[in-house]
Amino acid sequence: MGWLGAQGFVPEMRLVALLLVAATAACATPLAPPVTATLPLQTPQAMVAAIRAAAGYSGEELAVQPLREPMVEDLREQAQRLEQEHRYPEAVAALEQALKLVPDDPALLQERAEAALLVGDSAGAARISHQAWQLGSKVGPLCRRQWETLRQLRLASGDGPGTVSAQAQRDACTVAGPARY
């Protein structure tokens, strides 16, 4: 028999062969991350960017656009400039001033919810976004922003089922527009 064992391999060689097979199998099967793994916390700016990206209007769907009052539009633009300058509390103040003029404007309320996120007011962001959704059309880009706000907040708080539910609600906001002839 010499250096080969009864089965054709020295016992140590059999062990090496088994380890190689196990290592190869491990490489071929990707490991799923554990369910309890936590995601890194996103910055408020990243959350707002995800919210705005969720709007994703394609032009093919139903979207309701309200008429804007010029003074309110000026305040909205001012808030946008202040946000770009990272002057978030001042952006909030400009949006609050606009809301005094049109308190039930769903788009303006959603902008205010996003500004609340930027100043670290998660509870206010959730409350205002939900209020915007209640007053809004329940479809289209604005609806997706409202539900993405809630999804981002639930994701940040580790609420897995709430995150999934908000995502389903967000996805339900996409409704095809009427057929045009």
Side-chain angles (χ1 to χ4, degrees):
M1 265 202 237
W3 61 277
L4 295 175
Q7 310 235 329
F9 289 102
V10 176
E12 292 82 16
M13 294 291 287
R14 229 179 301 160
L15 178 62
V16 169
L18 286 173
L19 288 174
L20 283 173
V21 169
T24 304
C27 289
T29 308
L31 296 176
V35 175
T36 58
T38 58
L39 297 173
L41 285 178
Q42 287 196 20
T43 65
Q45 294 83 359
M47 293 171 74
V48 169
I51 291 164
R52 292 176 181 165
Y57 180 65
S58 69
E60 304 268 330
E61 68 179 304
L62 186 60
V64 177
Q65 297 293 328
L67 295 174
R68 298 257 180 228
E69 192 173 307
M71 188 171 190
V72 171
E73 193 61 25
D74 289 344
L75 289 166
R76 288 179 67 240
E77 289 172 7
Q78 178 184 0
Q80 288 172 354
R81 280 192 305 276
L82 291 165
E83 181 185 322
Q84 290 171 349
E85 296 169 4
H86 304 282
R87 296 166 56 188
Y88 304 127
E90 293 168 73
V92 167
L95 291 170
E96 284 293 332
Q97 193 175 352
L99 282 168
K100 287 179 183 175
L101 299 171
V102 285
D104 294 335
D105 181 330
L108 190 56
L109 283 164
Q110 179 58 34
E111 290 170 20
R112 176 59 182 89
E114 293 163 13
L117 267 176
L118 293 171
V119 295
D121 182 9
S122 297
R127 179 182 48 75
I128 297 166
S129 190
H130 185 72
Q131 179 184 2
W133 178 78
Q134 287 178 319
L135 294 168
S137 68
K138 316 280 188 294
V139 297
L142 183 58
C143 177
R144 283 194 298 278
R145 281 174 64 186
Q146 293 156 347
W147 280 105
E148 182 63 20
T149 301
L150 297 174
R151 190 185 87 76
Q152 287 292 322
L153 290 167
R154 291 171 182 173
L155 185 64
S157 71
D159 178 3
T163 301
V164 171
S165 174
Q167 183 168 336
Q169 292 288 340
R170 180 201 67 198
D171 294 346
C173 292
T174 302
V175 176
R180 298 178 190 201
Y181 300 99

